[in-house]
Amino acid sequence: MTAVPISLEKEVARRRTFAIISHPDAGKTTLTEKLLLYGGAIQKAGSVKAKQGGGHATSDWMELEKKRGISITSSALQFEYEGHCINLLDTPGHQDFSEDTYRTLVAADCALMLVDGAKGVEPQTIKLFKVCRDRGLPIVTVVNKMDRPAREPLDLMDEVEKTLGITIVPRTWPLGSGESFLGVYDIARQEVNLFDRTAHNAHRSRVAVTGPDDPSLRERLGEWAHDKFVEELALAEEAIEPFDRARFLRGEQSPMFFASALTNFGVENILQHFLELSPPPGPLKTVDGEIPPTESFFTGFVYKIAANMDKHHRDRIAFLRVTSGRFERGMSASHVRLGREVRMSHPHRFFGQERVTIDEAFPGDVIGLINPGLFRVGDVVSSGPKVEVRNFPRFAPEIFAQVRPREPSMSKGFTKGLHQLGEEGVVQVFWPRTGAREPILGAVGELQLEVFKHRLEMEYGTEIVIERKPYERARWLRGVTSELLTLLPMVVLDESTRPVALFKSEFEIDYAVKRYEGLELLEHPPSEEDKA
């Protein structure tokens, strides 16, 4: 193996690349903003609530996101904090975009799981936790919204452990909740952090540090609240296991933090401990083995495609996670799938809608490449040997609709938008095998169709007619005969011309399997099943 320059080792060691996952409305976008605030990437944070008044989150770039106050795309944000280079992969907060979240998690080395202090573990949390566990990602748990009435910390710990099957080890402990939430006790450092609110919660909170036995703490909390805090903490410390970083990295333990992202209380505690606990970039897992990040040659993979991120730049961007070596602007590397050399002359880094040209990047970093139709999700670029990574599994859609342009004059914009937004993963596009060539869109949730319609109108000047179809299940076919294709009620083709059967219910699926001998139905495309 070629000797590795020490600078590459240092750059890898100081990087942290993670994604935030949560159920909708748990405060993910707000926490993202506050981490950027404490990292010095922004000087003033605007909460989600301010969006109706014209403000919006830094990580949101789509017009519909700003109007609705939700995240429905994933962004890559980079900032420096205490000598570390942090890549924060902001994922969609809406459950209809689970597939986009999954692709983003493939590019992360760790996940920060956000839980609402009042609601606890919610359905989307369970689903995304499973994705992280399947990916082998270590998980840090954050209980948010402690500035509102919240459940008891011990109850929340117990629920997370029982529901998700992971051992919780608290690293901070809340001092009250709701209006009486004053700060957190940092268990590892054995110090109390008391916070003061700032105007509109837009700036870093002032913090006073004291010890748990400080008389002034009892005076500020009050007798009853202080006694409750001491009692709960003693119970927790007696019952919990010691924190074991090796078990955390294996996904067996999850450190838990308590905070209010809205008021900034406890946010910097999370950031500081996260840098100590979370791993630096790991190896790229290939079909044949692993490539360490400190390998001398450059490798990276595309995990997301986005179109029209900026009204002034009507282009498509391929988001590429650097996995080994050093990336340099203008370098050439092999596009493994196409078997050809590509020159990467205009790499960008993104911060919301802003894009900055960069000269270099290291493992863990995410860069944007102008994509004139060369890249698709899962593509690998390498300046060394040709390597192959596992395909990204997709969610089987549950909502289907046939679409067409409202006017024949809009056909050109419709065709372009359909291709680019399908490539981006806003929806899955299927084509009828026979009959009219009007495409059928597949989606996990209603919001995907709304986003597709909105973006066609805003970005491609095309109005569409949407006709809902009664199907609720899609199954890819393997080893199917031409006779079976004619017997099944509805068979369409995906973007790679693979046959897909659409069904109205699980009953129909069971009936088809029993009736047609040799029929094999898959929830994922056959090529992706083979590599799973």
Side-chain angles (χ1 to χ4, degrees):
M1 186 180 292
T2 307
V4 179
I6 188 67
S7 60
L8 177 58
E9 291 181 343
K10 286 183 177 179
E11 290 297 337
V12 171
R14 78 185 195 93
R15 274 166 167 74
R16 299 290 185 272
T17 302
F18 72 100
I20 302 178
I21 61 172
S22 74
H23 191 86
D25 300 322
K28 180 182 64 62
T29 300
T30 305
L31 179 61
T32 298
E33 286 269 291
K34 298 311 174 71
L35 291 174
L36 295 175
L37 175 68
Y38 277 90
I42 56 177
Q43 298 302 312
K44 181 178 179 181
S47 74
V48 177
K49 288 183 179 179
K51 291 183 182 180
Q52 293 179 349
H56 56 84
T58 301
S59 56
D60 293 342
W61 59 267
M62 189 190 297
E63 193 65 33
L64 190 60
E65 290 180 309
K66 299 170 187 176
K67 289 180 179 178
R68 293 278 295 268
I70 55 175
S71 294
I72 51 182
T73 59
S74 43
S75 307
L77 310 165
Q78 187 181 80
F79 61 96
E80 298 271 340
Y81 181 79
E82 294 188 352
H84 288 83
C85 180
I86 301 171
N87 294 291
L88 197 168
L89 309 182
D90 184 35
T91 60
H94 199 282
Q95 59 193 11
D96 288 2
F97 288 83
S98 303
E99 192 170 339
D100 200 18
T101 300
Y102 189 103
R103 289 194 293 263
T104 301
L105 289 172
V106 173
D109 298 305
C110 187
L112 195 156
M113 180 174 67
L114 204 57
V115 176
D116 187 307
K119 298 176 182 176
V121 180
E122 298 177 87
Q124 184 72 353
T125 314
I126 299 172
K127 186 175 184 178
L128 294 173
F129 175 84
K130 184 180 183 303
V131 172
C132 292
R133 173 154 280 178
D134 291 344
R135 292 289 310 163
L137 294 180
I139 296 172
V140 172
T141 303
V142 173
V143 178
N144 190 31
K145 297 189 177 181
M146 292 303 297
D147 58 302
R148 302 178 184 180
R151 291 163 56 183
E152 295 296 329
L154 290 169
D155 290 344
L156 288 165
M157 287 173 54
D158 186 58
E159 180 180 283
V160 173
E161 289 191 333
K162 289 180 178 177
T163 306
L164 303 181
I166 191 169
T167 301
I168 293 296
V169 181
R171 304 300 283 169
T172 63
W173 198 261
L175 297 169
S177 70
E179 290 294 326
S180 62
F181 180 53
L182 301 178
V184 296
Y185 174 64
D186 192 315
I187 295 174
R189 297 172 181 171
Q190 296 187 327
E191 62 182 29
V192 172
N193 292 178
L194 299 173
F195 300 93
D196 290 324
R197 290 196 180 217
T198 62
H200 309 294
N201 302 308
H203 302 279
R204 294 170 57 145
S205 297
R206 292 178 293 274
V207 57
V209 179
T210 184
D213 299 323
D214 188 332
S216 63
L217 177 62
R218 176 180 287 273
E219 183 178 340
R220 184 163 177 178
L221 285 176
E223 293 286 337
W224 181 85
H226 186 271
D227 290 343
K228 183 172 182 287
F229 157 66
V230 172
E231 181 182 349
E232 284 184 343
L233 189 59
L235 283 171
E237 291 181 330
E238 182 180 340
I240 63 174
E241 298 179 4
F243 179 73
D244 184 332
R245 187 166 183 266
R247 293 192 63 201
F248 160 65
L249 295 177
R250 291 197 301 267
E252 298 169 6
Q253 274 190 358
S254 177
M256 178 178 276
F257 297 86
F258 294 84
S260 163
L262 180 65
T263 63
N264 307 323
F265 289 17
V267 172
E268 192 163 27
N269 299 79
I270 298 168
L271 187 54
Q272 291 172 343
H273 283 288
F274 186 83
L275 296 179
E276 299 171 6
L277 301 174
S278 61
L284 172 65
K285 295 181 180 179
T286 71
V287 173
D288 299 317
E290 294 184 343
I291 298 175
T294 51
E295 182 56 84
S296 57
F297 57 83
F298 159 76
T299 61
F301 65 84
V302 175
Y303 73 92
K304 176 181 172 61
I305 302 290
N308 307 321
M309 291 183 66
D310 189 334
K311 293 179 181 179
H312 303 294
H313 300 274
R314 291 292 184 178
D315 51 22
R316 282 177 289 172
I317 300 295
F319 284 77
L320 181 140
R321 154 79 191 242
V322 180
T323 50
S324 74
R326 177 185 177 188
F327 172 86
E328 295 178 290
R329 179 160 63 101
M331 73 181 296
S332 294
S334 174
H335 188 306
V336 175
R337 177 177 58 85
L338 297 179
R340 56 175 281 192
E341 289 286 307
V342 292
R343 183 176 175 84
M344 295 167 282
S345 303
H346 303 287
H348 294 93
R349 181 165 293 129
F350 294 92
F351 199 75
Q353 270 188 296
E354 300 175 13
R355 58 169 76 182
V356 178
T357 300
I358 60 170
D359 294 318
E360 63 180 3
F362 296 91
D365 291 347
V366 169
I367 59 176
L369 300 174
I370 304 299
N371 178 31
L374 286 177
F375 296 107
R376 68 187 189 195
V377 171
D379 278 347
V380 177
V381 181
S382 173
S383 66
K386 295 182 179 179
V387 296
E388 188 178 3
V389 299
R390 297 183 183 277
N391 283 338
F392 298 172
R394 62 182 64 190
F395 289 97
E398 299 175 1
I399 295 174
F400 299 87
Q402 201 151 23
V403 294
R404 66 178 187 274
R406 185 176 294 278
E407 303 291 342
S409 60
M410 297 177 177
S411 295
K412 185 176 180 180
F414 174 76
T415 301
K416 182 178 180 181
L418 183 73
H419 172 70
Q420 293 189 353
L421 297 182
E423 179 185 63
E424 186 176 325
V426 174
V427 290
Q428 294 184 43
V429 181
F430 301 97
W431 295 92
R433 201 171 55 86
T434 58
R437 290 291 293 166
E438 292 178 354
I440 295 175
L441 306 183
V444 175
E446 292 285 350
L447 184 60
Q448 285 182 270
L449 294 180
E450 183 181 338
V451 168
F452 179 82
K453 183 176 184 294
H454 175 85
R455 291 188 64 182
L456 272 183
E457 292 175 356
M458 298 297 296
E459 299 171 19
Y460 300 91
T462 301
E463 296 181 16
I464 59 173
V465 176
I466 297 179
E467 181 185 345
R468 288 292 294 270
K469 294 296 180 182
Y471 308 107
E472 296 182 359
R473 302 288 187 272
R475 293 295 183 267
W476 277 260
L477 307 176
R478 176 156 55 187
V480 70
T481 64
S482 56
E483 181 184 7
L484 271 178
L485 287 177
T486 59
L487 291 174
L488 291 168
M490 183 62 176
V491 177
V492 294
L493 302 176
D494 70 5
E495 74 284 352
S496 299
T497 67
R498 293 170 294 211
V500 183
L502 304 185
F503 298 94
K504 297 178 182 178
S505 65
E506 287 292 333
F507 174 80
E508 281 195 355
I509 294 175
D510 294 339
Y511 176 80
V513 172
K514 291 175 183 177
R515 171 159 185 164
Y516 304 118
E517 186 177 349
L519 177 63
E520 192 171 358
L521 303 178
L522 308 172
E523 291 192 26
H524 307 297
S527 60
E528 297 176 3
E529 288 275 343
D530 294 339
K531 291 181 181 182

